[in-house]
Amino acid sequence: MERLSDDVPDSRNMSTDDFASIALIEKEENFDPEELSPGCLSSFLQKERFHRTPPALLLSYVLFFLSVLIWISTVIQYRSIQESSQRASCSIWNPYTEVTGKDWHKVQRNNSGIPNNPWKGEPSPEIDEAWKKIWMIGAESYTYEEIERVGKDPRGVARWPQEFGGGYAAKTEIFHQLHCLNIIRKGLSPEYYGETTRARAHILHCVDKIREALMCVSDTTLKTYVWTEDSQGVQPDFSMQTMCRDFADVRAFAISRGMPEEAATAMKKSDTEFLWPHLPD
């Protein structure tokens, strides 16, 4: 016999639980079968099935969703650790990052450059002073453990006199590189600097040190080219995002480890445990 409506339950497809649910309905006080429409009966049976779901099944649903959340959290943490490991693998241990907790961050460069750039322009006392502030940082003092962590044997590193702490002498390389760049800058204007212009051999040394630093970093940031309305050819677009360290923070850290000139004057060869026969390779 065909069903009269899709809402009318077919007894041939009803489970034992469905019949049990109907039996419960019939036991309700003042129950009138005529008052229960086919649609209501179907809805009632669905609700009864939900309420009669075994606790173990509900628990399995909860555990399933919890496992999904744990999996998502694990994936996110794994990616974070992987990115951190990749960054770490690209950097030699250095005390600046260890102590400050700072390292590379995104920086937006632009075509207009730095407003009122104090380092750019023809020679002048103001520009000389600006350059002096960014490169003239004295040698710094580090501990035995820190020297070891950068891959050096502390026994062969020059030491500061005990009256100045007895630490190990080192210098953050960026300041040597800036010193070299300043030497090249001055070498472009011998008529202004006169006798203070460094010897040609020193300038050539500095050119090579800057080359070495640039090739070591090998900045892979992409610089695109654009057309402007008044240009005859494509123009370089220096507006780009790149990764930098905060130079002001690096400089402040180096100054915090810096030693006075008197300490350098008081250094003695005998304070060093091991003397090299020549500069190490």
Side-chain angles (χ1 to χ4, degrees), residues 60-243:
S60 67
Y61 289 154
V62 172
L63 291 175
F64 171 75
F65 284 115
L66 283 176
S67 65
V68 170
L69 290 175
I70 292 172
W71 178 80
I72 293 173
S73 175
T74 302
V75 169
I76 293 173
Q77 289 180 356
Y78 171 77
R79 288 182 177 177
S80 176
I81 293 171
Q82 189 178 44
E83 290 174 0
S84 298
S85 299
Q86 288 173 345
R87 287 194 296 269
S89 66
C90 296
S91 294
I92 300 298
W93 182 91
N94 67 85
Y96 163 74
T97 300
E98 178 76 11
V99 173
T100 66
K102 299 175 180 178
D103 205 0
W104 301 94
H105 65 282
K106 283 185 181 180
V107 170
Q108 177 66 46
R109 292 181 184 167
N110 55 62
N111 284 295
S112 58
I114 301 172
N116 304 313
N117 190 333
W119 305 289
K120 183 178 180 181
E122 294 298 321
S124 70
E126 293 76 19
I127 286 183
D128 286 347
E129 185 61 26
W131 274 89
K132 186 182 293 185
K133 286 181 179 179
I134 63 172
W135 76 261
M136 192 174 281
I137 306 294
E140 303 139 33
S141 181
Y142 293 93
T143 66
Y144 187 100
E145 292 75 17
E146 288 172 331
I147 295 299
E148 273 194 322
R149 292 193 68 178
V150 297
K152 296 286 189 176
D153 185 341
R155 294 173 301 174
V157 175
R159 297 193 68 174
W160 297 105
Q162 288 301 321
E163 60 267 32
F164 291 97
Y168 295 83
K171 189 179 183 74
T172 306
E173 180 60 10
I174 178 59
F175 301 108
H176 173 238
Q177 294 162 358
L178 286 171
H179 156 75
C180 268
L181 191 56
N182 187 52
I183 292 298
I184 296 169
R185 178 188 71 86
K186 286 184 163 185
L188 294 174
S189 305
E191 71 288 350
Y192 181 87
Y193 293 103
E195 294 181 358
T196 61
T197 304
R198 295 301 181 102
R200 183 177 178 82
H202 194 162
I203 295 174
L204 292 175
H205 155 80
C206 282
V207 168
D208 196 55
K209 280 299 173 183
I210 297 300
R211 174 212 50 87
E212 185 180 71
L214 291 172
M215 292 179 68
C216 175
V217 174
S218 291
D219 190 347
T220 55
T221 305
L222 290 182
K223 175 186 69 183
T224 56
Y225 291 84
V226 298
W227 288 97
T228 59
E229 292 180 355
D230 59 350
S231 67
Q232 298 301 311
V234 292
Q235 302 294 310
D237 179 9
F238 292 103
S239 175
M240 64 185 82
Q241 276 195 343
T242 188
M243 298 296 289

